[in-house]
């Protein structure tokens, strides 16, 4: 669909072979293409700016090697910097806390929060042999509560029985209590989303956090989120304090620039990715693969 960055940079830089070092002007021309590639991959504008500045510092004055074309050289600098910014491989959910370990899932409506709650519970049950309890805190949408209950039936994971009229914080406290009594290792709280970030949502999330003392707070976000990614991640991180990110719909056509945007503004690790609608479609995050994809 897009011309690869390698091809674009090749046509700008490869004539420089054998000419010493990359000049400021060569690098500026190359960075215009890098910027375009990142914007096409849906990386947020602020992040594109700070990223290209880092690449500029590394590229200006870099020796042009005989063994590799200047275009490839810049692509390698960009790729390495992307991998660096995307963060380490294999950082996953931390269960190192007294049972029941509470995991709080946060995010906007439709981001894939309930599905991801089911996927994580399913993985911990089948792979890690943990006893898991899931609880829906979405008191405004009975359909969301029913969706989680059905995922529980499908995966064989316990769900907290619904009691009409309870507030989200009451449900959170009840879930932790039920897990203690039931001998569960892990409680996953599927909080309510909204279509956009608003003050009541943030207040509700902060209250649930206070009541349930989660060990992990995972922001679930659609990998296809474009320029909003920065706002979304910053708000949830500043107001609630997230410990990690889960990106859903990485199976889609998007180039996954949101991964870079959200990681850059929060500094929090991307712990897992969703790659489909089914319960097994949850994977570890591999920064190199995402960097390749962003560069196209
Ligand atoms: P919630 O409102 O945040 O709880 O979102 P849901 O869990 O209900 O998910 C919304 C839709 O996205 C559902 O149709 C899910 O099947 C779908 N979905 C969730 N995660 C993924 C994913 O990783 N890939 C794809 N293709 N679809 C997903």
């Amino acid at each position: 669909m897009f011309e690869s960055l390698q091809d674009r940079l090749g046509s700008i830089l490869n004539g420089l072979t054998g000419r010493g070092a990359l000049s400021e002007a060569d690098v500026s021309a190359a960075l215009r293409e890098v910027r375009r590639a990142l914007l096409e991959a849906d990386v947020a504008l602020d992040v594109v700016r700070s990223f290209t500045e880092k690449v500029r510092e590394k590229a200006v004055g870099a020796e042009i090697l005989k063994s590799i074309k200047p275009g490839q050289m810049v692509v390698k600098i960009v790729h390495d910097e992307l991998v660096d910014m995307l963060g380490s491989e294999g950082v996953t959910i931390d269960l190192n806390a007294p049972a029941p370990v509470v995991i709080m899932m946060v995010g906007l409506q439709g981001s894939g929060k309930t599905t991801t709650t089911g996927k994580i519970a399913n993985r911990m049950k089948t792979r890690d042999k943990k006893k898991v309890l899931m609880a829906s805190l979405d008191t405004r949408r009975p359909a969301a509560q029913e969706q989680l209950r059905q995922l529980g039936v499908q995966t064989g994971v316990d769900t907290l029985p619904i009691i009409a009229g309870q507030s989200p914080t009451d449900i959170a406290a009840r879930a932790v209590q039920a897990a203690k009594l039931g001998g569960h290792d892990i409680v996953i709280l599927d909080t309510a989303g909204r279509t956009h970030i608003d003050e009541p949502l943030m207040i509700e999330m902060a209250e649930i956090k206070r009541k349930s003392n989660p060990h992990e707070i995972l922001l679930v976000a659609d990998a296809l989120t474009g320029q909003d990614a920065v706002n979304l991640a910053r708000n949830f991180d500043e107001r609630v304090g997230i410990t990690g990110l889960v990106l859903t719909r990485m199976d889609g056509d998007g180039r996954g620039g949101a991964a870079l945007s959200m990681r850059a503004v929060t500094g929090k690790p991307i712990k897992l990715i969703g790659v489909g609608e089914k319960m097994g479609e949850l994977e570890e995050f591999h920064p190199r693969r995402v960097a390749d994809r962003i560069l196209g």
Side-chain angles (χ1 to χ4, degrees), residues 163-181:
I163 299 178
Q166 279 204 318
S167 70
T169 47
D170 289 342
I171 302 172
R174 183 160 61 87
V176 175
Q177 197 54 32
K180 280 182 185 157
L181 293 173

Side-chain angles (χ1 to χ4, degrees), residues 44-271:
L45 194 57
D46 301 5
V47 178
V48 172
R49 284 205 193 98
S50 59
F51 180 82
T52 46
E53 278 323 300
K54 281 193 192 153
V55 172
R56 183 190 302 278
E57 282 165 26
K58 296 208 167 134
V60 172
E63 270 320 296
I64 298 175
L65 305 170
K66 290 211 170 59
S67 53
I68 112 172
K69 291 206 159 71
Q72 284 169 334
M73 202 171 106
V74 174
V75 168
K76 185 173 181 326
I77 295 172
V78 170
H79 192 269
D80 288 351
E81 193 60 39
L82 270 179
V83 171
D84 198 51
M85 271 180 83
L86 282 167
S88 349
E89 187 108 9
V91 183
T92 191
I93 296 178
D94 179 15
L95 296 177
N96 203 1
V101 180
V102 179
I103 303 173
M104 179 174 164
M105 311 293 288
V106 301
L108 295 182
Q109 196 172 309
S111 60
K113 211 166 356 80
T114 303
T115 308
T116 306
T117 300
K119 286 177 178 179
I120 291 176
N122 182 52
R123 163 187 275 234
M124 289 176 167
K125 173 183 177 244
T126 53
R127 204 189 63 168
D128 307 326
K129 309 288 175 233
K130 301 286 187 191
K131 190 171 178 195
V132 186
L133 176 68
M134 305 189 285
S136 172
L137 273 52
D138 197 339
T139 51
R140 279 174 220 83
R141 289 193 312 143
Q145 301 185 2
E146 176 56 20
Q147 186 189 350
L148 191 70
R149 194 191 65 77
Q150 281 177 12
L151 290 177
V153 172
Q154 187 188 329
T155 55
V157 171
D158 294 338
T159 48
L160 188 76
I162 293 157
I163 299 178
Q166 279 204 318
S167 70
T169 47
D170 289 342
I171 302 172
R174 183 160 61 87
V176 175
Q177 197 54 32
K180 280 182 185 157
L181 293 173
H184 292 86
D185 304 298
I186 297 159
V187 189
I188 311 183
L189 303 176
D190 181 19
T191 66
R194 303 272 204 286
T195 50
H196 60 279
I197 292 170
D198 62 14
E199 193 55 24
L201 176 66
M202 291 300 156
I203 291 172
E204 181 174 308
M205 294 303 115
E207 277 174 6
I208 293 167
K209 179 183 176 182
R210 209 169 33 244
K211 265 278 169 68
S212 61
N213 191 25
H215 187 59
E216 287 269 16
I217 302 178
L218 301 176
L219 172 60
V220 179
D222 185 336
L224 304 176
T225 311
Q227 298 295 319
D228 290 342
V230 162
N231 230 342
L232 176 75
R234 187 175 283 143
N235 260 291
F236 273 102
D237 197 31
E238 285 178 3
R239 298 295 305 274
V240 191
I242 63 171
T243 58
L245 294 152
V246 181
L247 287 174
T248 60
R249 298 204 182 84
M250 287 293 278
D251 51 311
D253 289 337
R255 304 258 298 270
L260 184 70
S261 305
M262 299 207 231
R263 162 78 196 180
V265 293
T266 62
K268 301 293 161 60
I270 298 161
K271 297 204 162 185

